[in-house]
Amino acid sequence: MTVVQVAVSDPLAAPLLRELADEYTARYGPEAHRELTRYPDTEFAPPHGVLLLLLTGGRPVAGGAFRRYDATTAEVKRVWTHSAHRRRGLARRVLTELEQEAATRGYTRLYLTTGPRQPEAKNLYLTAGYTPLYDPTAAPEDIGPHPFEKELAGAG
């Protein structure tokens, strides 16, 4: 498996963006895909952001991105695993790669949100050491977006 950094406009990123749009629409309705265009593509480009893909045989199987949230914090976005490759630990690997890249760029903290209808994402972030910034015992739909944070070891 190869890790590559690409621009949002790179054709290799198209499967990630297409499948995320489909997933968001299926879980949250027809307007949910707008999340993918909420930020300009340049926010996911160096020096403050990145879009990483995991490739197998030159094809994307997982990916994720971060953007600058503030001077010391990167915001994780667009974590995705191709539907044919789920439950193999790829999303966890993406998180690890994003954490290392963020630390290399001087970030000391990661922040992210996931939706209330994404329990697998919530579980991923909890098992990867992210701290929930909400009451995890509350009903997911009552919370709305689920914010998390993680301090990065060895940043800088």
Side-chain angles (χ1 to χ4, degrees), residues 126-145:
L126 289 172
T127 61
Y130 286 73
T131 302
L133 302 175
Y134 63 94
D135 178 359
T137 64
E141 292 289 337
D142 292 343
I143 299 166

Side-chain angles (χ1 to χ4, degrees), residues 23-82:
E23 186 105 10
Y24 291 167
T25 298
R27 292 183 190 221
Y28 299 104
E31 298 302 313
H33 72 281
R34 288 188 181 179
E35 169 60 24
L36 294 173
T37 58
R38 189 162 110 181
Y39 303 104
D41 293 355
T42 55
E43 293 207 19
F44 301 101
H48 301 296
V50 71
L51 173 60
L52 297 176
L53 296 175
L54 300 183
L55 305 179
T56 298
R59 302 182 80 126
V61 294
F66 66 74
R67 61 183 283 276
R68 181 185 177 105
Y69 188 73
D70 65 32
T72 60
T73 306
E75 182 180 16
V76 174
K77 305 293 284 177
R78 312 211 191 329
V79 174
W80 161 85
T81 301
H82 188 286

Side-chain angles (χ1 to χ4, degrees), residues 90-153:
L90 298 177
R92 181 68 176 262
R93 173 136 183 231
V94 167
L95 276 181
T96 299
E97 295 285 345
L98 289 171
E99 290 166 8
Q100 291 172 350
E101 186 65 28
T104 297
R105 294 181 189 216
Y107 292 111
T108 58
R109 176 178 170 262
L110 289 179
Y111 171 81
L112 62 88
T113 59
T114 192
R117 297 179 189 160
Q118 295 170 264
E120 61 286 317
K122 174 185 166 185
N123 291 334
L124 168 67
Y125 301 130
L126 289 172
T127 61
Y130 286 73
T131 302
L133 302 175
Y134 63 94
D135 178 359
T137 64
E141 292 289 337
D142 292 343
I143 299 166
H146 292 41
F148 291 85
E149 71 177 354
K150 184 175 186 177
E151 297 297 320
L152 296 174

